[in-house]
Amino acid sequence: MRAQARMAMTYLRAYEAAKPSRQNDGWHTPSTGPKTEVGTSIVALRNRSRQLVRDNAYAKRIVDVIQSNLIGDGIITQADSGSEEIDRTLQKAWDDWSGTTQCDADGITNLAGIQRMAAAAMTETGEVIIRLRYRTAAQARQLGLAVPLQLQLIEGDYLDHTRNANMADGGYIVQGVEFNKSGKRVAYWLFTNHPGDYTQISSTKLQSIRIPADQVIHLYDAKRPGQVRGVSELHAAILPLRNLQDYQNALLMKAKIEACFCVFARGMGSSNPVTGKSKSDGRGGRIETIEPGSINYIDGAEDISFANPSNSDAHVLLSKTFQLAVAIASGVTYDQLSGDLTGANYSSLRAGKIEVRRRNSQLQWTLWIPGMCQRVWQGFLHAGLLVSKWDRDDYRAEHTPPGHEMIDPAKDTAALRDQIRIGVKSWPEAVRQMGSTPRQMVEDLKKYNDVFDKESIVLDSDPRKTSRAGLSQDQAGVKGAATAD
Protein backbone atom coordinates (compact mmCIF):
# COMPACT_ATOMS: atom_id res chain seq x y z
CA MET A 1 0.00 0.00 0.00
CA ARG A 2 2.86 2.39 0.77
CA ALA A 3 4.50 1.63 -2.58
CA GLN A 4 1.21 2.27 -4.38
CA ALA A 5 0.80 5.56 -2.51
CA ARG A 6 4.30 6.67 -3.49
CA MET A 7 3.64 5.84 -7.14
CA ALA A 8 0.33 7.69 -7.03
CA MET A 9 1.98 10.81 -5.55
CA THR A 10 4.65 10.68 -8.26
CA TYR A 11 2.07 10.87 -11.04
CA LEU A 12 -0.10 13.43 -9.23
CA ARG A 13 2.66 16.02 -8.97
CA ALA A 14 1.73 18.99 -11.11
CA TYR A 15 5.21 20.23 -11.95
CA GLU A 16 7.52 18.30 -14.22
CA ALA A 17 10.55 19.67 -12.35
CA ALA A 18 9.22 18.10 -9.13
CA LYS A 19 9.02 14.58 -10.54
CA PRO A 20 11.92 12.20 -9.90
CA SER A 21 13.86 11.29 -13.05
CA ARG A 22 17.30 10.27 -14.20
CA GLN A 23 17.96 13.88 -15.20
CA ASN A 24 17.64 15.19 -11.64
CA ASP A 25 18.92 12.09 -9.89
CA GLY A 26 21.23 13.14 -7.05
CA TRP A 27 19.83 16.66 -6.90
CA HIS A 28 19.84 17.41 -3.16
CA THR A 29 17.03 19.84 -2.25
CA PRO A 30 16.54 19.93 1.54
CA SER A 31 13.63 21.92 2.96
CA THR A 32 15.73 23.72 5.60
CA GLY A 33 14.61 26.96 7.17
CA PRO A 34 16.47 30.26 6.69
CA LYS A 35 18.23 30.08 10.06
CA THR A 36 19.55 26.57 9.47
CA GLU A 37 20.39 27.26 5.84
CA VAL A 38 22.54 30.26 6.69
CA GLY A 39 23.91 28.99 10.00
CA THR A 40 25.50 25.89 8.47
CA SER A 41 27.08 27.82 5.60
CA ILE A 42 27.98 31.27 6.92
CA VAL A 43 31.60 30.57 7.90
CA ALA A 44 32.55 28.69 4.73
CA LEU A 45 30.85 31.27 2.49
CA ARG A 46 32.53 34.29 4.02
CA ASN A 47 35.95 32.60 4.13
CA ARG A 48 35.76 31.58 0.46
CA SER A 49 34.45 34.98 -0.51
CA ARG A 50 37.32 36.71 1.31
CA GLN A 51 39.89 34.47 -0.37
CA LEU A 52 38.48 35.32 -3.79
CA VAL A 53 38.42 39.06 -3.05
CA ARG A 54 42.04 38.86 -1.89
CA ASP A 55 43.34 36.92 -4.88
CA ASN A 56 40.82 37.18 -7.73
CA ALA A 57 40.69 40.35 -9.81
CA TYR A 58 37.02 39.91 -10.75
CA ALA A 59 35.89 39.35 -7.16
CA LYS A 60 37.71 42.47 -6.00
CA ARG A 61 36.17 44.41 -8.87
CA ILE A 62 32.66 43.29 -7.88
CA VAL A 63 33.11 44.55 -4.31
CA ASP A 64 34.54 47.86 -5.54
CA VAL A 65 31.70 48.41 -8.02
CA ILE A 66 28.91 47.57 -5.58
CA GLN A 67 30.19 49.69 -2.69
CA SER A 68 31.05 52.67 -4.91
CA ASN A 69 27.59 52.66 -6.49
CA LEU A 70 25.79 52.20 -3.17
CA ILE A 71 27.75 54.77 -1.17
CA GLY A 72 29.75 56.91 -3.57
CA ASP A 73 30.98 59.94 -1.64
CA GLY A 74 28.54 59.15 1.18
CA ILE A 75 24.81 59.31 1.89
CA ILE A 76 24.07 62.92 2.88
CA THR A 77 22.01 63.71 5.99
CA GLN A 78 20.26 67.08 6.28
CA ALA A 79 18.41 68.27 9.41
CA ASP A 80 14.71 68.83 8.71
CA SER A 81 13.07 69.81 12.02
CA GLY A 82 10.81 72.47 10.51
CA SER A 83 12.68 75.29 12.24
CA GLU A 84 15.53 77.04 10.40
CA GLU A 85 17.20 78.02 13.67
CA ILE A 86 17.13 74.49 15.06
CA ASP A 87 18.24 73.08 11.71
CA ARG A 88 21.27 75.36 11.66
CA THR A 89 22.26 74.23 15.17
CA LEU A 90 21.76 70.55 14.39
CA GLN A 91 23.46 70.72 11.01
CA LYS A 92 26.49 72.55 12.34
CA ALA A 93 27.02 69.92 15.06
CA TRP A 94 26.33 67.09 12.60
CA ASP A 95 28.81 68.40 10.03
CA ASP A 96 31.48 68.89 12.71
CA TRP A 97 30.92 65.34 13.95
CA SER A 98 30.21 63.32 10.78
CA GLY A 99 32.50 65.20 8.40
CA THR A 100 35.62 64.56 10.46
CA THR A 101 37.28 61.65 12.21
CA GLN A 102 35.39 62.55 15.42
CA CYS A 103 32.68 60.01 14.62
CA ASP A 104 35.12 57.11 14.12
CA ALA A 105 36.10 55.23 17.27
CA ASP A 106 39.36 54.28 15.52
CA GLY A 107 39.98 57.90 14.52
CA ILE A 108 40.75 56.95 10.90
CA THR A 109 37.94 58.22 8.69
CA ASN A 110 34.68 60.18 8.64
CA LEU A 111 31.10 58.92 8.39
CA ALA A 112 31.28 58.56 4.59
CA GLY A 113 34.38 56.40 5.04
CA ILE A 114 32.59 54.24 7.60
CA GLN A 115 29.70 53.81 5.16
CA ARG A 116 32.14 52.82 2.42
CA MET A 117 33.93 50.22 4.55
CA ALA A 118 30.60 48.89 5.83
CA ALA A 119 29.31 48.46 2.26
CA ALA A 120 32.49 46.66 1.19
CA ALA A 121 32.37 44.34 4.22
CA MET A 122 28.68 43.57 3.75
CA THR A 123 29.20 42.80 0.06
CA GLU A 124 32.16 40.55 0.78
CA THR A 125 30.88 38.64 3.81
CA GLY A 126 27.14 39.40 3.90
CA GLU A 127 26.97 41.43 7.10
CA VAL A 128 28.69 44.09 9.16
CA ILE A 129 28.20 45.49 12.67
CA ILE A 130 28.41 49.09 13.84
CA ARG A 131 28.55 49.67 17.59
CA LEU A 132 27.28 52.96 19.01
CA ARG A 133 29.91 53.83 21.62
CA TYR A 134 28.57 56.58 23.91
CA ARG A 135 31.25 58.55 25.74
CA THR A 136 31.08 60.42 29.02
CA ALA A 137 31.07 64.23 28.98
CA ALA A 138 34.66 64.22 30.19
CA GLN A 139 35.76 61.82 27.44
CA ALA A 140 33.94 63.93 24.85
CA ARG A 141 35.78 67.06 25.98
CA GLN A 142 39.10 65.24 25.98
CA LEU A 143 38.53 63.90 22.46
CA GLY A 144 37.04 67.16 21.21
CA LEU A 145 33.75 65.56 20.15
CA ALA A 146 30.79 67.65 19.02
CA VAL A 147 28.56 65.04 20.73
CA PRO A 148 29.61 62.19 23.07
CA LEU A 149 29.22 59.41 20.50
CA GLN A 150 31.56 57.41 18.28
CA LEU A 151 30.97 54.56 15.83
CA GLN A 152 32.96 51.34 15.95
CA LEU A 153 32.89 49.30 12.75
CA ILE A 154 33.51 45.56 13.25
CA GLU A 155 33.18 42.50 11.04
CA GLY A 156 30.34 40.00 11.31
CA ASP A 157 32.81 37.42 12.64
CA TYR A 158 32.46 39.08 16.04
CA LEU A 159 28.84 37.88 16.27
CA ASP A 160 28.96 34.50 18.00
CA HIS A 161 27.16 32.16 15.58
CA THR A 162 27.67 29.20 17.93
CA ARG A 163 25.52 30.71 20.68
CA ASN A 164 22.03 29.21 20.43
CA ALA A 165 19.71 28.72 23.40
CA ASN A 166 16.15 28.80 24.71
CA MET A 167 15.79 31.06 27.72
CA ALA A 168 13.69 30.64 30.84
CA ASP A 169 11.62 33.78 30.21
CA GLY A 170 10.49 32.57 26.78
CA GLY A 171 13.20 34.39 24.87
CA TYR A 172 15.76 32.66 22.71
CA ILE A 173 19.17 33.16 21.08
CA VAL A 174 19.80 32.27 17.44
CA GLN A 175 23.34 32.44 16.03
CA GLY A 176 24.34 35.12 18.55
CA VAL A 177 21.21 37.27 18.23
CA GLU A 178 18.95 37.37 21.30
CA PHE A 179 15.17 37.76 20.98
CA ASN A 180 12.51 38.22 23.65
CA LYS A 181 9.43 36.00 23.75
CA SER A 182 7.66 38.34 21.30
CA GLY A 183 10.41 37.88 18.71
CA LYS A 184 11.96 41.33 19.11
CA ARG A 185 15.74 41.67 19.00
CA VAL A 186 16.98 42.72 22.41
CA ALA A 187 20.72 41.95 22.39
CA TYR A 188 23.71 40.70 20.43
CA TRP A 189 26.40 38.35 21.72
CA LEU A 190 29.74 39.67 20.46
CA PHE A 191 33.23 38.29 20.91
CA THR A 192 35.65 40.57 22.74
CA ASN A 193 38.31 39.79 20.11
CA HIS A 194 38.14 38.78 16.47
CA PRO A 195 37.99 34.95 16.49
CA GLY A 196 40.41 34.75 13.57
CA ASP A 197 42.90 37.39 14.68
CA TYR A 198 45.74 35.20 15.92
CA THR A 199 48.16 38.12 16.20
CA GLN A 200 46.19 39.65 19.05
CA ILE A 201 47.60 38.34 22.31
CA SER A 202 44.95 37.61 24.89
CA SER A 203 45.34 35.94 28.24
CA THR A 204 41.65 35.05 28.42
CA LYS A 205 39.67 32.44 26.53
CA LEU A 206 37.68 33.68 23.55
CA GLN A 207 34.20 34.50 24.83
CA SER A 208 31.18 36.50 23.76
CA ILE A 209 29.46 39.17 25.84
CA ARG A 210 25.92 40.52 25.73
CA ILE A 211 25.47 43.97 24.12
CA PRO A 212 22.00 45.63 24.16
CA ALA A 213 20.41 45.89 20.72
CA ASP A 214 20.01 49.67 20.92
CA GLN A 215 23.82 49.95 20.87
CA VAL A 216 24.28 47.75 17.81
CA ILE A 217 23.52 48.30 14.12
CA HIS A 218 23.48 44.94 12.35
CA LEU A 219 23.48 45.45 8.58
CA TYR A 220 22.67 42.57 6.23
CA ASP A 221 20.44 41.95 3.23
CA ALA A 222 17.94 39.25 4.19
CA LYS A 223 17.19 36.91 1.31
CA ARG A 224 14.43 34.98 3.13
CA PRO A 225 11.86 35.99 5.75
CA GLY A 226 13.12 35.08 9.21
CA GLN A 227 16.79 35.15 8.20
CA VAL A 228 18.93 36.22 11.18
CA ARG A 229 22.40 36.46 9.63
CA GLY A 230 23.65 37.67 6.26
CA VAL A 231 25.40 35.82 3.45
CA SER A 232 27.97 37.17 1.01
CA GLU A 233 26.68 38.95 -2.09
CA LEU A 234 29.12 36.72 -3.97
CA HIS A 235 27.45 33.51 -2.80
CA ALA A 236 26.08 32.62 -6.26
CA ALA A 237 29.27 33.80 -7.99
CA ILE A 238 31.80 31.86 -5.90
CA LEU A 239 31.77 28.69 -8.02
CA PRO A 240 31.77 30.51 -11.41
CA LEU A 241 34.63 32.70 -10.15
CA ARG A 242 36.57 29.66 -9.00
CA ASN A 243 35.96 27.84 -12.30
CA LEU A 244 36.98 30.92 -14.30
CA GLN A 245 40.17 31.22 -12.27
CA ASP A 246 41.02 27.54 -12.78
CA TYR A 247 40.26 27.81 -16.49
CA GLN A 248 42.47 30.87 -16.93
CA ASN A 249 45.29 29.14 -15.04
CA ALA A 250 44.96 26.18 -17.41
CA LEU A 251 45.03 28.53 -20.41
CA LEU A 252 48.18 30.17 -19.06
CA MET A 253 49.87 26.79 -18.66
CA LYS A 254 48.77 25.82 -22.18
CA ALA A 255 50.26 29.06 -23.55
CA LYS A 256 53.56 28.35 -21.77
CA ILE A 257 53.69 24.86 -23.23
CA GLU A 258 52.87 26.16 -26.70
CA ALA A 259 55.74 28.64 -26.34
CA CYS A 260 58.15 25.70 -26.08
CA PHE A 261 58.83 25.51 -29.84
CA CYS A 262 61.45 22.76 -30.20
CA VAL A 263 63.44 20.83 -32.80
CA PHE A 264 64.05 17.07 -32.37
CA ALA A 265 67.10 15.65 -34.18
CA ARG A 266 67.44 11.86 -34.47
CA GLY A 267 70.42 9.68 -35.46
CA MET A 268 73.18 11.06 -33.24
CA GLY A 269 74.10 7.55 -32.11
CA SER A 270 73.81 8.26 -28.41
CA SER A 271 72.86 5.35 -26.21
CA ASN A 272 71.54 7.68 -23.57
CA PRO A 273 69.91 10.57 -25.46
CA VAL A 274 69.03 13.80 -23.76
CA THR A 275 65.84 15.62 -24.88
CA GLY A 276 66.38 18.71 -22.76
CA LYS A 277 67.82 19.72 -19.41
CA SER A 278 68.28 16.66 -17.28
CA LYS A 279 68.66 16.13 -13.57
CA SER A 280 68.32 13.30 -11.09
CA ASP A 281 65.29 12.92 -8.89
CA GLY A 282 67.49 11.51 -6.08
CA ARG A 283 66.22 7.95 -6.57
CA GLY A 284 68.14 7.02 -9.72
CA GLY A 285 65.53 8.42 -12.09
CA ARG A 286 65.98 11.24 -14.60
CA ILE A 287 63.86 14.39 -14.87
CA GLU A 288 64.05 16.30 -18.15
CA THR A 289 62.64 19.68 -19.14
CA ILE A 290 62.16 21.34 -22.53
CA GLU A 291 63.00 24.99 -23.01
CA PRO A 292 61.64 27.34 -25.68
CA GLY A 293 63.88 27.44 -28.75
CA SER A 294 65.84 24.31 -27.80
CA ILE A 295 67.16 21.61 -30.20
CA ASN A 296 66.90 18.15 -28.66
CA TYR A 297 68.78 15.05 -29.79
CA ILE A 298 67.18 11.60 -29.76
CA ASP A 299 68.81 8.33 -30.75
CA GLY A 300 67.25 6.77 -33.85
CA ALA A 301 66.79 7.45 -37.54
CA GLU A 302 68.42 10.53 -39.05
CA ASP A 303 65.67 13.10 -39.54
CA ILE A 304 64.45 16.35 -38.00
CA SER A 305 60.89 17.11 -36.88
CA PHE A 306 59.31 20.20 -35.35
CA ALA A 307 56.92 20.39 -32.43
CA ASN A 308 53.54 21.70 -33.61
CA PRO A 309 51.27 22.49 -30.62
CA SER A 310 47.58 22.94 -31.32
CA ASN A 311 45.84 26.27 -30.86
CA SER A 312 42.20 27.30 -30.49
CA ASP A 313 40.30 30.57 -30.05
CA ALA A 314 37.33 28.91 -28.34
CA HIS A 315 38.66 30.04 -24.95
CA VAL A 316 37.66 33.64 -25.71
CA LEU A 317 33.98 32.69 -25.95
CA LEU A 318 34.16 30.39 -22.92
CA SER A 319 35.89 33.04 -20.79
CA LYS A 320 33.24 35.58 -21.71
CA THR A 321 30.52 33.06 -20.83
CA PHE A 322 32.07 32.62 -17.37
CA GLN A 323 32.32 36.40 -16.95
CA LEU A 324 28.66 36.87 -17.89
CA ALA A 325 27.63 34.24 -15.34
CA VAL A 326 29.71 35.95 -12.64
CA ALA A 327 28.26 39.38 -13.49
CA ILE A 328 24.67 38.11 -13.39
CA ALA A 329 25.24 36.26 -10.11
CA SER A 330 26.77 39.31 -8.41
CA GLY A 331 24.35 41.95 -9.70
CA VAL A 332 26.75 44.02 -11.81
CA THR A 333 26.91 44.48 -15.57
CA TYR A 334 29.40 42.72 -17.81
CA ASP A 335 31.21 45.95 -18.69
CA GLN A 336 31.48 46.89 -14.98
CA LEU A 337 33.00 43.49 -14.20
CA SER A 338 35.39 43.16 -17.13
CA GLY A 339 35.98 46.76 -18.23
CA ASP A 340 35.25 45.58 -21.78
CA LEU A 341 33.29 48.25 -23.68
CA THR A 342 33.65 46.61 -27.10
CA GLY A 343 30.47 47.22 -29.10
CA ALA A 344 28.92 49.36 -26.35
CA ASN A 345 27.03 52.58 -27.13
CA TYR A 346 24.94 55.11 -25.24
CA SER A 347 21.73 53.09 -25.43
CA SER A 348 23.27 49.77 -24.41
CA LEU A 349 25.23 51.30 -21.53
CA ARG A 350 22.17 53.17 -20.25
CA ALA A 351 19.90 50.14 -20.55
CA GLY A 352 22.45 47.96 -18.78
CA LYS A 353 22.75 50.37 -15.86
CA ILE A 354 18.99 50.69 -15.27
CA GLU A 355 18.65 47.37 -13.45
CA VAL A 356 21.82 47.95 -11.44
CA ARG A 357 20.64 51.41 -10.36
CA ARG A 358 17.19 50.09 -9.46
CA ARG A 359 18.79 47.41 -7.28
CA ASN A 360 21.05 50.00 -5.63
CA SER A 361 18.06 52.27 -4.98
CA GLN A 362 16.23 49.40 -3.30
CA LEU A 363 19.12 48.72 -0.97
CA GLN A 364 19.64 52.41 -0.22
CA TRP A 365 16.02 53.09 0.72
CA THR A 366 15.13 49.78 2.37
CA LEU A 367 18.41 48.94 4.13
CA TRP A 368 21.04 51.67 4.32
CA ILE A 369 18.90 54.72 5.04
CA PRO A 370 16.49 53.15 7.61
CA GLY A 371 18.98 50.58 8.92
CA MET A 372 22.10 52.73 9.23
CA CYS A 373 21.64 56.42 8.43
CA GLN A 374 18.50 56.90 10.51
CA ARG A 375 19.89 54.83 13.38
CA VAL A 376 23.10 56.89 13.43
CA TRP A 377 21.08 60.14 13.30
CA GLN A 378 18.96 58.98 16.25
CA GLY A 379 22.09 58.04 18.21
CA PHE A 380 23.62 61.43 17.38
CA LEU A 381 20.51 63.26 18.66
CA HIS A 382 20.40 61.15 21.82
CA ALA A 383 24.09 61.83 22.53
CA GLY A 384 23.51 65.58 22.09
CA LEU A 385 20.54 65.43 24.45
CA LEU A 386 22.70 63.79 27.11
CA VAL A 387 24.95 66.85 27.21
CA SER A 388 22.06 69.33 26.80
CA LYS A 389 22.98 70.53 23.31
CA TRP A 390 19.27 70.40 22.46
CA ASP A 391 16.11 69.54 24.34
CA ARG A 392 14.75 66.67 22.22
CA ASP A 393 16.08 63.64 20.40
CA ASP A 394 13.30 63.11 17.86
CA TYR A 395 14.11 65.77 15.26
CA ARG A 396 13.63 64.65 11.67
CA ALA A 397 16.26 64.52 8.95
CA GLU A 398 16.25 63.78 5.23
CA HIS A 399 18.83 61.48 3.68
CA THR A 400 20.08 61.76 0.10
CA PRO A 401 21.91 58.87 -1.63
CA PRO A 402 24.78 59.64 -4.03
CA GLY A 403 23.91 60.66 -7.57
CA HIS A 404 24.88 58.74 -10.67
CA GLU A 405 27.30 60.06 -13.26
CA MET A 406 25.58 60.75 -16.54
CA ILE A 407 26.50 58.44 -19.41
CA ASP A 408 25.90 61.25 -21.93
CA PRO A 409 25.60 64.57 -20.02
CA ALA A 410 24.05 66.47 -22.95
CA LYS A 411 21.29 63.92 -23.53
CA ASP A 412 20.68 63.16 -19.85
CA THR A 413 20.54 66.84 -18.86
CA ALA A 414 18.10 67.65 -21.66
CA ALA A 415 15.87 64.74 -20.63
CA LEU A 416 15.98 65.82 -16.97
CA ARG A 417 15.10 69.41 -17.89
CA ASP A 418 12.17 68.27 -20.06
CA GLN A 419 10.84 66.05 -17.25
CA ILE A 420 10.83 69.05 -14.90
CA ARG A 421 9.21 71.33 -17.49
CA ILE A 422 6.30 68.99 -18.24
CA GLY A 423 5.72 68.32 -14.54
CA VAL A 424 6.53 64.60 -14.29
CA LYS A 425 9.49 65.32 -11.98
CA SER A 426 9.89 68.08 -9.42
CA TRP A 427 12.97 70.24 -9.08
CA PRO A 428 13.78 68.88 -5.57
CA GLU A 429 13.49 65.32 -6.89
CA ALA A 430 15.88 66.15 -9.74
CA VAL A 431 18.36 67.68 -7.30
CA ARG A 432 18.26 64.58 -5.10
CA GLN A 433 18.76 62.42 -8.18
CA MET A 434 22.01 64.27 -8.76
CA GLY A 435 23.14 63.48 -5.21
CA SER A 436 22.54 66.93 -3.64
CA THR A 437 20.03 68.17 -1.08
CA PRO A 438 17.46 70.75 -2.27
CA ARG A 439 17.88 72.93 0.80
CA GLN A 440 21.65 73.13 0.41
CA MET A 441 21.24 73.81 -3.30
CA VAL A 442 18.88 76.71 -2.60
CA GLU A 443 21.28 78.16 -0.02
CA ASP A 444 24.19 77.89 -2.46
CA LEU A 445 22.23 79.48 -5.33
CA LYS A 446 21.08 82.37 -3.17
CA LYS A 447 24.52 82.92 -1.68
CA TYR A 448 26.41 83.00 -4.97
CA ASN A 449 23.71 84.84 -6.93
CA ASP A 450 24.03 87.62 -4.32
CA VAL A 451 27.81 87.59 -4.79
CA PHE A 452 27.49 87.75 -8.59
CA ASP A 453 24.95 90.58 -8.38
CA LYS A 454 27.18 92.52 -6.01
CA GLU A 455 30.17 92.14 -8.33
CA SER A 456 28.08 92.75 -11.49
CA ILE A 457 28.95 89.31 -12.88
CA VAL A 458 26.52 87.76 -15.37
CA LEU A 459 26.89 84.08 -16.26
CA ASP A 460 25.19 82.23 -19.12
CA SER A 461 23.96 79.76 -16.50
CA ASP A 462 21.91 82.42 -14.67
CA PRO A 463 18.32 82.16 -15.99
CA ARG A 464 17.46 85.48 -14.32
CA LYS A 465 19.80 87.33 -16.68
CA THR A 466 20.29 85.16 -19.78
CA SER A 467 18.17 82.89 -21.93
CA ARG A 468 19.09 79.41 -23.14
CA ALA A 469 20.25 81.01 -26.40
CA GLY A 470 22.80 83.12 -24.49
CA LEU A 471 20.89 86.40 -24.93
CA SER A 472 20.07 88.74 -22.09
CA GLN A 473 16.50 88.38 -20.88
CA ASP A 474 15.72 91.88 -22.19
CA GLN A 475 17.01 91.01 -25.66
CA ALA A 476 15.22 87.65 -25.58
CA GLY A 477 11.96 89.45 -24.67
CA VAL A 478 12.29 91.96 -27.52
CA LYS A 479 13.13 89.23 -30.01
CA GLY A 480 10.20 87.16 -28.82
CA ALA A 481 7.81 90.11 -29.19
CA ALA A 482 9.09 90.83 -32.70
CA THR A 483 8.57 87.22 -33.68
CA ALA A 484 5.02 87.28 -32.30
CA ASP A 485 4.25 90.45 -34.30
Side-chain angles (χ1 to χ4, degrees):
M1 291 176 64
R2 287 195 297 271
Q4 290 177 347
R6 284 195 296 269
M7 291 178 64
M9 289 300 296
T10 298
Y11 290 104
L12 285 174
R13 289 189 177 111
Y15 293 97
E16 186 68 25
K19 295 180 181 180
S21 65
R22 293 178 61 186
Q23 184 178 0
N24 53 35
D25 185 33
W27 190 355
H28 185 54
T29 57
S31 56
T32 52
K35 299 179 181 66
T36 301
E37 182 179 76
V38 174
T40 56
S41 307
I42 187 172
V43 175
L45 281 177
R46 72 186 179 205
N47 289 343
R48 291 178 180 180
S49 177
R50 280 182 179 142
Q51 188 276 326
L52 284 171
V53 173
R54 284 195 304 267
D55 303 328
N56 186 284
Y58 294 112
K60 179 183 181 300
R61 175 65 176 166
I62 291 169
V63 174
D64 290 343
V65 167
I66 291 178
Q67 66 90 5
S68 64
N69 279 271
L70 276 175
I71 303 303
D73 295 331
I75 299 176
I76 300 173
T77 296
Q78 183 82 32
D80 188 23
S81 67
S83 167
E84 291 188 8
E85 183 180 355
I86 294 176
D87 284 349
R88 281 194 296 268
T89 300
L90 293 173
Q91 197 64 41
K92 175 64 167 60
W94 173 263
D95 292 341
D96 290 343
W97 180 78
S98 66
T100 66
T101 58
Q102 286 188 30
C103 63
D104 184 11
D106 294 325
I108 297 175
T109 185
N110 57 14
L111 183 58
I114 293 175
Q115 292 174 351
R116 177 189 62 80
M117 287 191 291
M122 198 183 80
T123 303
E124 182 177 330
T125 64
E127 59 185 356
V128 70
I129 292 172
I130 302 173
R131 286 194 62 183
L132 304 176
R133 307 303 294 262
Y134 291 97
R135 309 304 187 188
T136 64
Q139 290 173 331
R141 286 193 299 270
Q142 182 181 1
L143 296 171
L145 305 181
V147 296
L149 172 67
Q150 290 186 306
L151 306 177
Q152 182 184 18
L153 186 67
I154 59 177
E155 294 183 320
D157 307 52
Y158 276 82
L159 190 51
D160 186 358
H161 71 281
T162 63
R163 187 175 285 272
N164 299 274
N166 290 317
M167 307 176 71
D169 60 358
Y172 52 94
I173 304 174
V174 177
Q175 297 163 17
V177 183
E178 182 179 332
F179 300 83
N180 62 17
K181 62 181 180 181
S182 300
K184 179 182 178 181
R185 296 181 183 228
V186 294
Y188 290 84
W189 289 83
L190 303 177
F191 289 119
T192 54
N193 299 322
H194 194 294
D197 194 355
Y198 305 114
T199 62
Q200 186 170 1
I201 301 175
S202 176
S203 59
T204 60
K205 182 181 178 182
L206 183 67
Q207 59 181 351
S208 56
I209 59 175
R210 186 180 186 273
I211 306 297
D214 60 0
Q215 298 177 21
V216 175
I217 298 174
H218 183 203
L219 285 173
Y220 69 98
D221 182 21
K223 308 296 183 182
R224 295 179 60 182
Q227 184 176 325
V228 175
R229 302 289 298 271
V231 295
S232 169
E233 289 295 320
L234 302 179
H235 66 90
I238 287 176
L239 291 181
L241 279 168
R242 179 72 173 177
N243 291 335
L244 176 60
Q245 182 173 292
D246 290 344
Y247 180 63
Q248 290 180 333
N249 289 338
L251 285 178
L252 180 60
M253 180 58 67
K254 180 176 182 291
K256 290 181 177 180
I257 293 173
E258 289 175 349
C260 294
F261 182 76
C262 303
V263 176
F264 297 90
R266 296 182 175 86
M268 300 305 296
S270 172
S271 60
N272 190 24
V274 176
T275 61
K277 284 188 175 180
S278 180
K279 65 179 182 179
S280 173
D281 62 0
R283 297 189 297 271
R286 186 174 65 181
I287 301 175
E288 298 181 4
T289 59
I290 299 177
E291 293 182 349
S294 62
I295 298 178
N296 301 288
Y297 297 92
I298 304 175
D299 188 19
E302 292 186 358
D303 68 349
I304 294 178
S305 61
F306 295 87
N308 186 23
S310 61
N311 192 14
S312 173
D313 293 330
H315 65 274
V316 176
L317 179 60
L318 186 54
S319 293
K320 188 171 182 178
T321 301
F322 274 124
Q323 291 170 356
L324 286 170
V326 170
I328 292 171
S330 56
V332 300
T333 61
Y334 167 76
D335 63 278
Q336 287 177 324
L337 174 72
S338 64
D340 181 12
L341 296 175
T342 304
N345 54 40
Y346 170 77
S347 298
S348 63
L349 288 174
R350 183 176 176 82
K353 300 298 184 294
I354 288 176
E355 290 297 328
V356 174
R357 291 178 178 177
R358 183 178 291 121
R359 169 63 174 162
N360 289 337
S361 181
Q362 285 181 338
L363 289 175
Q364 288 163 350
W365 288 103
T366 63
L367 176 63
W368 285 93
I369 288 177
M372 179 187 180
C373 299
Q374 190 59 31
R375 286 284 310 277
V376 171
W377 173 256
Q378 291 170 349
F380 168 81
L381 292 178
H382 182 66
L385 178 62
L386 293 176
V387 291
S388 303
K389 279 189 170 291
W390 35 78
D391 57 358
R392 289 166 48 190
D393 61 358
D394 59 350
Y395 293 114
R396 291 171 52 86
E398 63 176 19
H399 308 279
T400 304
H404 299 288
E405 289 77 11
M406 295 180 176
I407 297 173
D408 187 326
K411 292 181 179 179
D412 289 347
T413 301
L416 191 62
R417 181 182 62 241
D418 291 343
Q419 289 175 350
I420 296 173
R421 290 178 66 86
I422 65 175
V424 298
K425 180 172 289 186
S426 66
W427 179 83
E429 185 180 1
V431 172
R432 290 192 184 95
Q433 181 178 324
M434 300 302 296
S436 300
T437 60
R439 181 174 299 182
Q440 187 63 47
M441 183 67 72
V442 169
E443 292 178 0
D444 289 345
L445 289 173
K446 183 178 184 305
K447 176 181 177 180
Y448 289 102
N449 281 338
D450 291 343
V451 172
F452 294 147
D453 291 344
K454 182 179 179 181
E455 301 295 334
S456 299
I457 298 174
V458 179
L459 302 178
D460 280 351
S461 60
D462 189 347
R464 303 172 306 154
K465 304 293 181 64
T466 59
S467 67
R468 287 177 57 189
L471 301 174
S472 68
Q473 290 291 11
D474 292 339
Q475 291 175 319
V478 171
K479 184 177 180 181
T483 304
D485 292 342

